[in-house]
Amino acid sequence: MNLLLAEIAASQVGVREVGGNNNGAAIRDYQKATDLKPASWPWCAAFVDWCISEWLDKPGVREWLNLQSSTTEEWRPKTALAYGMIGWAKARPKTTIVLHDREWAKPGDIVVFDFSHVGIVESDSGYQIVTLEGNTNGRGERDSESGDGVWRKVRHKTLARNFIRIRPVSA
């Protein structure tokens, strides 16, 4: 099921800002997945929130997660902060696990970077990860001045702070 999350993120590669920095209809859609009002603010976490929201609507995902005490809307992340993903995951120990950056990442894991940025893992070669990230650019920058879209990136694992793995509630 987590591979499906990576596929959803990959389907967005090529989406670009339109009409200025941190702007555009698709960017506003991503930002609507957070608790903040959409505006011209950095949207890397919003992209991950949106991907998870889309993933939860796919057939079989809700059943796989086996959520029993909350709805998917209550369960999913709505943070606009990269490091906020770690807090979200720690608050859901039955369905997520926060892994050290030395762990082997799997497709669909969320990667939180040391430089306050977040994305979704597509693959891990042991020393590099291929990620799907919003609010970055072809050079790999992610700040609000230079991030311009959704890109597939190759990054050294040493840049990762943590990986977050979503898993089903055990029966």
Side-chain angles (χ1 to χ4, degrees):
M1 281 295 163
N2 293 45
L3 179 59
L4 179 58
L5 179 56
E7 290 170 355
I8 290 167
S11 76
Q12 300 300 296
V13 170
V15 169
R16 296 291 183 272
E17 294 175 347
V18 176
N21 192 16
N22 297 321
N23 288 304
I27 294 4
R28 293 297 177 260
D29 286 342
Y30 300 148
Q31 291 176 331
K32 288 176 188 173
T34 73
D35 283 334
L36 292 180
K37 181 180 176 187
S40 292
W41 44 265
W43 49 275
C44 64
F47 172 70
V48 173
D49 294 344
W50 180 88
C51 289
I52 291 172
S53 180
E54 293 292 305
W55 176 70
L56 288 166
D57 284 340
K58 298 297 181 190
V61 173
R62 293 175 187 191
E63 294 78 15
W64 177 78
L65 269 173
N66 195 24
L67 295 175
Q68 297 176 4
S69 61
S70 66
T71 66
T72 54
E73 188 62 19
E74 293 168 331
W75 175 85
R76 74 172 184 84
K78 296 178 200 83
T79 182
L81 303 171
Y83 295 155
M85 288 291 175
I86 296 169
W88 167 79
K90 286 181 176 178
R92 288 153 182 78
K94 291 182 179 180
T95 53
T96 61
I97 185 168
V98 178
L99 303 168
H100 193 277
D101 64 338
R102 290 186 298 261
E103 298 287 336
W104 195 268
K106 293 184 179 180
D109 284 353
I110 299 164
V111 56
V112 180
F113 293 102
D114 286 329
F115 52 96
S116 190
H117 186 58
V118 64
I120 296 175
V121 174
E122 190 171 50
S123 65
D124 183 342
S125 69
Y127 66 96
Q128 289 183 325
I129 50 175
V130 177
T131 57
L132 304 152
E133 304 170 22
N135 200 32
T136 190
N137 62 32
R139 296 176 307 279
E141 299 162 342
R142 63 100 201 126
D143 66 37
S144 60
E145 295 293 319
S146 59
D148 68 357
V150 179
W151 292 77
R152 178 177 280 111
K153 306 301 303 175
V154 177
R155 298 201 187 263
H156 290 282
K157 282 182 78 171
T158 58
L159 296 173
R161 175 175 288 218
N162 292 105
F163 298 108
I164 299 168
R165 184 162 300 145
I166 299 171
R167 59 191 182 170
V169 173
S170 13

